[in-house]
């Protein structure tokens, strides 16, 4: 029944090691079927080389396992909360090197250039570390709300900004499907590395001017976008 | 009719991922036939693994599509302007990591060593970010003029200096053919990385002395050059 | 007799170049059979591509060679001391780039994020460089005691903290078996790289809050751990 | 006649791209037959993928071509001078990233750890940039003398210290044969990277203590060395 969904999740998960975004099992991708209110996600702690489409676990948007013999990713509840509240089709969590370093530094990633503006019009937000109450409660569930609350407080749209850093933790990205979410993870890692280098070269580097932000974002995303086929 | 030209452009484009200069589709190469006033360029947003010589798009030096079923790279007008004003045979645009970081830092890359001097006698120029008028006008077309104006203001020759950073954006390189332009992109990325490290090791590192600049450049490019076969 | 043990040591050694943790022969793994009080270790100075299970050398916990035609790793006595005093099943020594840089800087690696907390609740300790007496004595033997003394002085448990930096030298890791010890070496290298970047991005980056340290460590290691299958 | 020598030079040259030490043709290895006073060296500007043993060029210790249809490396005279004055069997020149950055920074590489001490008891010397007279004269020939003079002034032995940085230029390494010289190039690059990171982590990092320098060097090189088989 969930064969296509599992295959989508499997193939997206297998992109993570290819793109250099994970060490061992430190990452996971899920793919949602929004008509059925379920998503397929990587099983917890299983090495990528041992994965297969059949091993993906089906979970509903409240975090209940629907199908599968393995235990789903320990981050499953974070995925569930985001699917429940946001209309997205795929979610990725990694500990990719440069994005995680910015999360550990508790810094938004400044918008320094057009590579960034091709994908976001703002600094990539870093949600603050969670309160002790949230951490000691249902941790992964609360991680989802920490992300949602960060977007509310900053008045950001998840449809426009498809990536976030969770302070002291690591990045999450999403998109219309699992493939787009993986794409966003790789883009975020590249932006994070270039921003790190930019600050190292010029500690006073200035943020991108508004006209250039607008132009590049609209080239790819505006109503008159002219990128791609 | 344009079979050879398309093949040259295709093969040069395929070098970019091999040399580690592009993530996804963030780059493009064109190859010109100056007797016909046309160039072949990568189609917009098509992944490198899906490219073929047939998919290259033929465009004239005013930016009009001459042949091809796909939409050409969104940076096509920048290529067209440079071909129109400069007698070059190939152009490359990438967002390679270190060169882009210098562009984002809005800094010329200082000439710190002989690797740099083997290819340029001056700091690699970083054109300032464009004015709002240029950005809001025909952006890619104006990007070409921003590069040309930078060379005019600094009294540089495009025949001697085959690379530039566009401030807040990324590098462009060119050469007698597409292959040489790709070579220049890889050389620029290496020079950018080593200059970054040099400054990090010694914040007061001094520029190369004139005698050494002259010697290394002439070894490869002067009338008595003795590098290669 | 030691066929299984040699195979375990061989396969764990072969992981080091795959994981990018060694240049040439700068690293070694051993695997212990605690019921027999022996361990299998890499022969000294033999390139990884020339290794085979048969070439592993069997040594007892006092450092005496028990079986094998080749000379064991020059670091053998350090392994022997650790096996003699600690109930562990595998030990790894590398000169991996980022972990070694922290050891050379004589700095503990601060706990900046959850990747670190998934594996340790404290900063990764850097043992001070050894005294001249220890160095001029039985050096590799004393290196083992330097590690043990560091853990005693800091009141650390080798069962909880499975990695250490030896000041001015390089990292050692261990675990219940050789495979886990290799896993720890790769994790340490990744943590070391991310901590370096974190400090570079934000010189005032703060250590992880206690609630988050406790949560992440117990997710993987506590009595109610829920990571993996 | 020179078949074995050419093969040795060819195979050593082919190690450079495998070890990540060269971009395009920016490097060369030579192998000497000291009984015949000749060496085999890479032809100038030929890509590594187009090399073969037959294309190696035979040159005598005065820099005269003895055999071969191609032009030898533009750095040939530097190799010749070193062979003429020093009893070594192989020489390597690269523009490897981190070693070149230290050369551009005109800084000796401080001895920060045992990886360094396993190969050298001193900071890796950076020869000062050459005088204008030397540069404008027979440049590559004088580069050899700049290296030799640096060793004389610092009272260093080429038999003990098998690597040098030429200020503003790049590293040279040597050894008893071409293979050892290539090994030294890779070791130098690794030491250079770790020293860069060490200084970045701790700007006040101290040099290795004498007892540790002595111990590690003698482990590998002293009369009672016990590393390897």
């Amino acid at each position: 029944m969930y064969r296509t969904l599992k295959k989508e999740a499997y193939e997206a998960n297998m992109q993570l090691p290819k793109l250099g975004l994970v060490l061992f099992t430190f990452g996971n991708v899920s793919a949602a079927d929004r008509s059925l209110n379920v998503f397929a996600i990587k099983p917890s702690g299983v090495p990528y080389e041992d994965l297969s489409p059949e091993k993906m676990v089906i979970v509903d948007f409240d975090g209940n396992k629907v199908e599968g013999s393995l235990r789903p990713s320990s981050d499953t509840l974070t995925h569930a909360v985001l699917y429940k509240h946001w209309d997205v089709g795929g979610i990725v969590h990694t500990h990719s090197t440069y994005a995680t370093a910015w999360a550990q530094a508790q810094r938004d990633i400044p918008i320094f250039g057009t590579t960034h503006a091709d994908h976001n019009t703002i600094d990539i937000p870093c949600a603050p570390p969670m309160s002790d109450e949230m951490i000691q409660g249902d941790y992964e569930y609360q991680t989802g709300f920490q992300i949602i609350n960060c977007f509310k407080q900053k008045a950001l749209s998840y449809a426009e900004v498809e990536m976030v850093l969770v302070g002291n933790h690591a990045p999450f990205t999403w998109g219309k499907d699992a493939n787009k979410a993986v794409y966003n993870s790789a883009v975020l890692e590249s932006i994070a590395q270039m921003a790190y280098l930019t600050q190292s070269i010029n500690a006073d580097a200035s943020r991108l001017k508004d006209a250039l932000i607008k132009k590049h974002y609209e080239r790819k995303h505006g109503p008159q976008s002219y990128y791609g086929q």
Side-chain angles (χ1 to χ4, degrees), chain A residues 109-148:
Chain A
I109 303 178
I111 181 163
F112 281 137
T114 60
T115 322
H116 189 131
D118 282 336
H119 300 91
N120 294 283
T121 59
I122 54 150
D123 295 354
I124 295 166
C126 180
M130 292 153 70
S131 70
D132 286 9
E133 291 69 34
M134 290 176 85
I135 293 166
Q136 286 151 2
D138 201 339
Y139 174 63
E140 290 79 12
Y141 191 70
Q142 296 295 343
T143 299
F145 283 110
Q146 187 75 354
I147 292 170
I148 290 171

Side-chain angles (χ1 to χ4, degrees), chain A residues 128-176:
Chain A
M130 292 153 70
S131 70
D132 286 9
E133 291 69 34
M134 290 176 85
I135 293 166
Q136 286 151 2
D138 201 339
Y139 174 63
E140 290 79 12
Y141 191 70
Q142 296 295 343
T143 299
F145 283 110
Q146 187 75 354
I147 292 170
I148 290 171
N149 289 340
C150 170
F151 269 58
K152 275 187 193 159
Q153 278 160 27
K154 298 194 177 214
L156 300 177
S157 155
Y158 69 81
E160 285 178 16
V161 180
E162 298 184 325
M163 49 189 73
V164 74
L165 308 175
V166 176
N168 285 140
H169 188 168
F172 285 82
T173 65
W174 50 86
K176 65 176 164 48

